[in-house]
Amino acid sequence: TYSDLEVIVVDDGSDDDYASHTVDQFSDTVNCVIHEENKGLSAARNTGIEHADGDYIAFLDDDDRWHEDKSKRQIEALERVPDAGLSTCRLAAIDLHGELLRCDGGVVSGDIADRILTRNVIGSPSRVLVHRRALPSDRPFDEELPTKQDWDLYMRLCQEWAVVGVDEVLCYRTRHG
């Protein structure tokens, strides 16, 4: 429902042309960037950020889905709170048939600089929408970390910016097997 949208799909070295064939079916606002070899999740996210032109950046893993109002609601929330650099929302886990398995109980908001140091209270990057001004200018996701790259980014962001939580399920994660 948010009309001013740019989509960057990053194919991180897959063996088939699935991503580019899928992107070809959509308008000129959907672009595919291809890594010739797999560079990992952080490199793929950084590539997407580098190719994006918008003021807001959101991440969507290939097995997650968004509510149609996710971008709109999170951008509105960020615009209401000038010191917020990122927005998060509730997430529901669904099975392969779209049936609800569980739903998160709530979201964090405000200054969470201390809380984020002991636990990732923000969650999956698919729930997050970040204002570009809040992102570090050089490679926001640390490509050298073997895990928890999203938590690392959140810890750095939250030292400078507040978080605004949208207390609605706007992201759906598919559970496999």
Side-chain angles (χ1 to χ4, degrees):
T1 58
Y2 187 77
S3 62
D4 188 15
L5 194 64
E6 169 190 38
V7 177
I8 310 293
V9 175
V10 180
D11 178 337
D12 191 29
S14 65
D15 293 332
D16 58 39
D17 294 331
Y18 175 76
S20 59
H21 286 305
T22 302
V23 167
D24 288 345
Q25 299 174 35
F26 297 95
S27 71
D28 294 336
T29 60
V30 180
N31 298 300
C32 187
V33 179
I34 299 173
H35 288 170
E36 294 302 319
E37 60 184 44
N38 182 284
K39 296 180 180 184
L41 190 54
S42 290
R45 287 186 175 134
N46 286 334
T47 296
I49 292 166
E50 289 169 8
H51 284 82
D53 293 322
D55 291 333
Y56 300 97
I57 307 290
F59 310 98
L60 181 61
D61 292 342
D62 62 354
D63 58 350
D64 294 344
R65 304 291 176 264
W66 286 346
H67 185 282
E68 64 186 12
D69 288 337
K70 180 183 181 293
S71 296
K72 179 181 177 195
R73 290 186 183 163
Q74 288 187 295
I75 289 170
E76 289 171 351
L78 280 172
E79 289 176 347
R80 284 191 302 270
V81 183
D83 65 334
L86 67 111
S87 174
T88 188
C89 64
R90 291 175 59 201
L91 177 137
I94 58 174
D95 66 17
L96 294 171
H97 307 289
E99 297 297 320
L100 180 66
L101 299 173
R102 71 170 185 80
C103 184
D104 290 341
V107 293
V108 294
S109 284
D111 177 356
I112 64 163
D114 291 336
R115 277 182 74 189
I116 195 72
L117 295 175
T118 58
R119 188 169 145 244
N120 182 354
V121 293
I122 294 174
S124 162
S126 290
R127 318 165 108 173
V128 171
L129 186 135
V130 183
H131 201 296
R132 180 181 287 281
R133 70 176 185 228
L135 287 170
S137 59
D138 186 44
R139 311 303 282 175
F141 288 94
D142 187 335
E143 297 174 26
E144 301 300 317
L145 290 175
T147 63
K148 311 297 184 203
Q149 306 91 340
D150 53 338
W151 187 12
D152 169 70
L153 174 62
Y154 304 154
M155 284 190 283
R156 290 182 281 129
L157 289 177
C158 290
Q159 300 312 303
E160 306 285 330
W161 300 93
V163 173
V164 61
V166 177
D167 195 16
E168 298 176 55
V169 174
L170 299 175
C171 185
Y172 304 89
R173 164 151 295 151
T174 304
R175 295 284 176 161
H176 304 274

